[in-house]
Amino acid sequence: MLQLLKLCLILSLSVLAGCATTSANLTVVVYNYWPRGIMDVCINGQYAGGSFGAYGPGGTGGSMVAGVPIRVGEQKIEWALSGGENSPRLGEKITATAVLKEIPKDAKILAIHIYPDETVFVETAEWLPKQKPRGYSR
């Protein structure tokens, strides 16, 4: 019986190993939930986009950057606050981290969700994922 359980565990792990990878070049999309614009987003020191509008109708996004090397594990996300000339903290750089647990084989997108409490959430997807404002159940 114990041998059968071991065999099932080994087979399960080998099947799971075929479903994910530890690194990939992905297209990065940024979702900005701040009530103001952000700019110069980087992930692990790699450029991921220039300017993202304030959250709200017609906001949250900007451009996508293709071919960004991503590895499983802790992701260091950096961005700067933008806005009008008199905006508080204008140009201030902020850093946060999130953990990416896996990269499925079919993943093409890495979404970075940046929240006004200076936290981030990252996820992979085959297609462009939906917005996930605070309160969204992950």
Side-chain angles (χ1 to χ4, degrees), residues 79-102:
W79 68 96
L81 297 176
S82 66
E85 182 178 315
N86 296 320
S87 296
R89 301 172 63 189
L90 182 62
E92 181 179 328
K93 293 187 186 291
I94 300 172
T95 303
T97 59
V99 175
L100 183 62
K101 294 181 182 176
E102 68 175 351

Side-chain angles (χ1 to χ4, degrees), residues 10-71:
I10 290 169
L11 289 174
S12 296
L13 290 175
S14 65
V15 168
L16 289 174
C19 297
T21 183
T22 58
S23 66
N25 289 335
L26 301 174
T27 296
V28 174
V29 60
V30 175
Y31 291 91
N32 171 28
Y33 301 98
W34 283 72
R36 65 187 291 174
I38 62 172
M39 60 186 178
D40 300 332
V41 178
C42 292
I43 179 166
N44 302 321
Q46 185 78 27
Y47 179 79
S51 181
F52 302 90
Y55 182 70
T60 76
S63 61
M64 291 189 240
V65 176
V68 178
I70 304 296
R71 298 183 87 53

Side-chain angles (χ1 to χ4, degrees), residues 59-134:
T60 76
S63 61
M64 291 189 240
V65 176
V68 178
I70 304 296
R71 298 183 87 53
V72 169
E74 185 175 271
Q75 310 299 311
K76 179 181 173 186
I77 314 298
E78 300 170 288
W79 68 96
L81 297 176
S82 66
E85 182 178 315
N86 296 320
S87 296
R89 301 172 63 189
L90 182 62
E92 181 179 328
K93 293 187 186 291
I94 300 172
T95 303
T97 59
V99 175
L100 183 62
K101 294 181 182 176
E102 68 175 351
I103 302 174
K105 290 276 187 196
D106 63 352
K108 294 178 179 74
I109 305 275
L110 176 81
I112 302 172
H113 301 268
I114 300 178
Y115 300 105
D117 65 356
E118 301 183 14
T119 62
V120 295
F121 170 65
V122 294
E123 66 178 324
T124 59
E126 185 175 3
W127 308 105
L128 196 61
K130 294 182 179 182
Q131 296 176 20
K132 292 179 178 57
R134 274 289 179 227

